């Protein structure tokens, strides 16, 4: 816990400042569905050999970056100029491998490396018909996987034989009905089942601090409430975004496991009008806010867990001009820190009134919290606003932060990436990108953020069903 607290104080880049910190973020804002941007950000080597030297792709961009403006460009001017420069060189072929920069970006190969170019796989390449690509799809392989992944069981010889005897349509129908059956099992939805495993890195449980069932030595909060809301949001055609936005709580009953929506729980203290799903659960406040005045760790953890962006890895940087203001006098204006804190600090302001560990005021929303409990931190601490920024967009409080986040592409990409890793076995690869993008877009646009419906798409992908 101590380590977490220290990490929460300041995120600074070690050594010299490398390529332009806004570069990867600006690239991904321009090409959000590029494989290099899915669940990650492009490496500096996309545009540089060894920063600041540029590779052929980076060099071709340079004359289009705010032509005529004095060099070096500020980070702000660079960010503004990058999207149009990227677009200006889309039709070019920087590495002369016969494939345009744009196609390389979209297909996940390197536009500055002639040995990296898209491989065509005959009529079965990505982008042909991602939802129903049957070139290499093997329904029997998918059947075996569905039973293992969702029910935790291998099919018997008799089951496999019966499956093989079905028509193609019959096989598809059985895959769908087995998926629906298996997601009602304890293996999928029960305590420490598959859904709970997906939630572990978001909740980051600490047994010794557990309150309630499986109580620890220093019980501070019951994070099984967090698992319950997460699981509820994933199940039964519920809206997955509510893990970030719910004003309600979820009660878990056992034998068999059932999750039921409730308006209050004795283990939770934030009032309904201040709740933002698991971002404001008792455990999140106890564990990620702890004793800090400005809850940077809570903001960074929410950004990482639900939007898939890790500021410590320079992901999701959207520098706000004039930030960081350093209201709590942590020294975050030092050049090596400011690159991250120009994003992180405004991301954290909306958490300013959510209290961590403080006796009877623990895990509550406390208006004027900084003025009441943290006035000795610095002379300017009370100037910390509650309004902040997410993705460079102003948000008035944490409720709006959560809504903007839940409605973003980053949320849909991150949610589907979780399942892709669990079911396909790895983060979406360049070859899988077309299927992956089709899947998260349908999750958002067609399925109303229903995980259950999205899973039916995943088991139809070649990424899942091709041996
Ligand atoms: Ca090329
Ligand atoms: Ca290339």
């Amino acid at each position: 816990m101590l380590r977490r607290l220290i990490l929460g104080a300041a995120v600074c880049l070690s050594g010299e400042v490398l390529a332009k910190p806004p570069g990867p973020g600006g690239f991904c804002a321009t090409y959000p569905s590029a494989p290099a941007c899915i669940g990650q950000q492009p490496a500096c080597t996309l545009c540089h050999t060894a920063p600041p030297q540029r590779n052929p792709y980076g060099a071709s961009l340079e004359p289009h970056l705010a032509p005529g403006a004095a060099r070096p460009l500020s980070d702000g001017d660079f960010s503004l100029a990058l999207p149009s420069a990227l677009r200006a060189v889309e039709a070019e072929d920087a590495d002369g491998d016969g494939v345009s920069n744009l196609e390389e970006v979209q297909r996940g190969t390197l536009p500055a490396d002639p040995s990296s170019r898209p491989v065509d796989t005959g009529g079965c390449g990505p982008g042909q018909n991602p939802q129903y690509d049957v070139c290499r799809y093997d329904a029997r392989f998918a059947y075996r996987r569905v039973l293992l992944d969702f029910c935790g069981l291998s099919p018997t010889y008799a089951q496999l034989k019966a499956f093989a005897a079905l028509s193609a349509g019959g096989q598809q129908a059985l895959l769908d009905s087995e998926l629906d059956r298996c997601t009602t099992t304890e293996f999928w939805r029960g305590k420490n089942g598959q859904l709970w495993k997906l939630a572990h890195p978001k909740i980051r449980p600490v047994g010794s601090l557990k309150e309630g069932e499986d109580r620890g030595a220093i019980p501070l909060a019951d994070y099984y409430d967090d698992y319950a809301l997460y699981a509820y949001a994933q199940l039964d055609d519920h809206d997955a975004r509510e893990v970030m936005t719910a004003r309600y709580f979820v009660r878990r009953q056992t034998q068999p496991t059932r999750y039921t929506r409730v308006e209050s729980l004795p283990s939770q203290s934030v009032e309904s009008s201040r709740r933002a799903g698991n971002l404001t659960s008792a455990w999140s406040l106890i564990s990620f806010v702890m004793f800090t005045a400005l809850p940077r760790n809570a903001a960074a953890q929410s950004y990482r867990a639900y939007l898939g962006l890790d500021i410590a890895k320079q992901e999701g940087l959207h520098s706000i001009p004039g930030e960081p203001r350093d209201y709590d006098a942590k020294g975050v204006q030092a050049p090596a820190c400011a690159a991250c804190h120009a994003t992180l600090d405004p991301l954290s302001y909306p958490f300013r009134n959510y209290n961590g560990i403080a006796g009877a005021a623990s895990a509550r929303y406390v208006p004027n919290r900084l003025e009441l409990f943290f006035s000795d931190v610095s002379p300017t601490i009370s100037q910390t606003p509650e309004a902040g920024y997410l993705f460079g967009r102003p948000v008035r409080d944490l409720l709006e932060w959560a809504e903007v986040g839940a409605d973003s592409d980053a949320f849909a990409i991150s949610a589907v990436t979780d399942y892709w890793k669990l079911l396909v076995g790895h983060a979406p690869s360049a070859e899988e990108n077309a299927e992956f993008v089709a899947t998260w877009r349908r999750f958002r646009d067609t399925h109303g953020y229903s995980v259950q419906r999205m899973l039916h798409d995943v088991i139809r992908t070649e990424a899942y069903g091709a041996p």
Side-chain angles (χ1 to χ4, degrees), residues 95 97 104 109-114 116-117:
D95 56 3
D97 62 1
E104 295 218 47
T109 59
L110 298 173
D113 179 356
S116 165
R117 58 196 301 276

Side-chain angles (χ1 to χ4, degrees), residues 360-379:
S362 290
R364 287 176 186 276
Y365 181 89
V366 180
N368 296 319
R369 164 180 172 268
L370 294 178
E371 294 78 355
L372 284 170
F373 301 131
F374 295 94
S375 61
D376 58 339
V377 166
S378 78

